Amino acid sequence: MNGRTHRPRTPRTAGAVLAAVALASALTACGGDSLEDEGGGGNGGANKGELVIGSAGFTEAKVLAELYRQILGDAGYDTSVKEVESRELYEPSLEKGQIDVVPEYAATLAEFLNAKVNGPDAPEKNPVASSDADATVAALEKLAEPRGLKVLPAGEAVDQNAFAVSREYAEKNSLKTLSDLGESGLRVRIAAGDECEIRPFCKPGLEKTYGIEITGIDPKGVGTPQAKQAVKDGEDQLVLTTTTDATLDSFGLVLLEDDKKLQNADNILPVVNAKDAGDQEIADVLARLTKALTTQDLVELNRKADAEHARPADVAKEFLRARGLVGD
């Protein structure tokens, strides 16, 4: 299914799913050794209770967790962040109530739970996610609720697979969409991971959905600097990355619109432990953030955290204050 540039957040192999229970046990056993705490939430007023926000170990997840921590803290909750490297660790902890809230990606979590509930082959043989955000979230809710998880509404912000070309190449060939590329008759080589050869979102999907003629895969990884440099230098013509890649400008690259919606709807949404964090007030606070956050916002937040090396906590604070989502 979906490959990612900067995050271990698409664990859809048999080994990854089967490892979840063992890893969850390790999380409990190791305690603080496997988690990093960042606290300091709360607005100094009446404490409405403690909330632990889970975060995976990549930049965007850290920024999102800080956004959740600070907006909930401003609303009167005593909040902290526990950083966990992978979904195989934090999802079981969310079910158990060791973590209360996690910023998630609709399609990716839906297929993760699909594999967990229906077997490791389910995402390939009987996928539940699609390019339809509403249908994907509905499928996610059906899988999450029996596990004690509450899925809150998704927003506009989406981080999903995307394809980029050099700005020069796009201008020379009048390319704005993947359909334009298919209709151009241009032959392209893709800088991506090895799995692009067989994954439906990559080479097979580009050929079937868009009629793009692909001459081969350059295995430089998904959205890596080496992959983007290869497209910049003209060694390859297309690179697999994501919609929130904050480094495209520095390589002189531009995204081509997925106008026929090949990719799954990985819209960002909060998922909470229904027992411990299922209150409507929590949902209402997070909804304010979800409604305000756009894909372009995520690009800028990622850029500040990565390129400018700003702390995720500082990046989040600046955004929330600028949008009037928290007090000074």
Side-chain angles (χ1 to χ4, degrees):
M1 307 301 274
N2 293 3
R4 298 294 171 187
T5 63
H6 48 248
R7 60 191 68 89
R9 72 168 169 85
T10 51
R12 299 178 184 171
T13 63
V17 174
L18 292 174
V21 175
L23 287 170
S25 298
L27 174 65
T28 303
C30 294
D33 292 340
S34 58
L35 301 172
E36 293 184 16
D37 288 309
E38 174 128 13
N43 61 4
N47 190 304
K48 297 179 181 179
E50 296 182 3
L51 291 174
V52 178
I53 292 88
S55 170
F58 57 92
T59 297
E60 185 173 287
K62 294 177 182 180
V63 172
L64 286 168
E66 275 298 326
L67 289 169
Y68 282 27
R69 180 181 73 82
Q70 293 182 34
I71 196 170
L72 287 166
D74 187 73
Y77 295 92
D78 183 6
T79 56
S80 62
V81 171
K82 287 191 180 295
E83 185 179 319
V84 191
E85 193 59 32
S86 68
R87 182 173 285 102
E88 291 90 350
L89 279 170
Y90 71 69
E91 190 279 330
S93 297
L94 184 62
E95 290 187 22
K96 294 177 180 178
Q98 296 166 336
I99 290 173
D100 300 303
V101 186
V102 174
E104 263 293 1
Y105 302 84
T108 298
L109 181 59
E111 294 300 358
F112 176 85
L113 293 180
N114 187 20
K116 192 171 183 178
V117 173
N118 299 312
D121 294 335
E124 297 289 348
K125 294 182 178 179
N126 296 293
V128 297
S130 70
S131 61
D132 185 323
D134 290 339
T136 298
V137 172
L140 172 58
E141 289 172 340
K142 290 181 180 179
L143 290 163
E145 287 176 5
R147 310 190 76 82
L149 305 181
K150 182 179 180 181
V151 178
L152 302 184
E156 173 190 339
V158 59
D159 181 355
Q160 62 194 29
N161 295 304
F163 293 91
V165 297
S166 72
R167 185 173 288 105
E168 180 182 0
Y169 188 80
E171 292 174 354
K172 178 182 177 181
N173 297 290
S174 300
L175 304 177
K176 293 184 178 180
T177 68
L178 288 170
S179 287
D180 291 340
L181 181 56
E183 292 166 3
S184 72
L186 293 166
R187 304 173 77 226
V188 301
R189 188 164 76 149
I190 304 175
D194 291 330
E195 68 276 6
C196 181
E197 185 70 38
I198 60 172
R199 296 297 190 191
F201 77 90
C202 202
K203 181 175 182 286
L206 291 175
E207 292 174 333
K208 180 179 180 180
T209 303
Y210 290 106
I212 297 172
E213 188 172 352
I214 298 169
T215 61
I217 308 300
D218 186 2
K220 283 185 164 61
V222 180
T224 62
Q226 295 83 357
K228 285 177 275 197
Q229 188 66 42
V231 173
K232 178 181 179 180
D233 294 341
E235 297 173 13
D236 302 321
Q237 292 72 47
L238 199 63
V239 60
L240 172 61
T241 180
T242 71
T243 53
T244 62
D245 189 329
T247 66
L248 293 177
D249 280 346
S250 64
F251 286 92
L253 306 182
V254 293
L255 292 178
L256 295 182
E257 181 188 351
D258 180 20
D259 53 307
K260 293 184 179 179
K261 300 189 180 300
L262 172 62
Q263 306 302 328
N264 284 341
D266 252 332
N267 296 65
I268 293 166
L269 43 66
V271 180
V272 305
N273 179 285
K275 180 180 178 181
D276 296 336
D279 293 347
Q280 187 59 43
E281 184 177 358
I282 293 173
D284 291 342
V285 171
L286 291 173
R288 291 169 49 223
L289 172 60
T290 299
K291 290 175 182 177
L293 192 65
T294 68
T295 303
Q296 190 55 45
D297 289 333
L298 276 179
V299 174
E300 181 63 13
L301 291 168
N302 287 337
R303 185 191 66 77
K304 289 179 178 179
D306 281 332
E308 297 181 8
H309 306 293
R311 295 176 65 246
D314 295 335
V315 171
K317 181 184 294 185
E318 180 184 1
F319 175 83
L320 291 171
R321 286 182 174 175
R323 297 301 176 87
L325 295 171
V326 300
D328 293 330

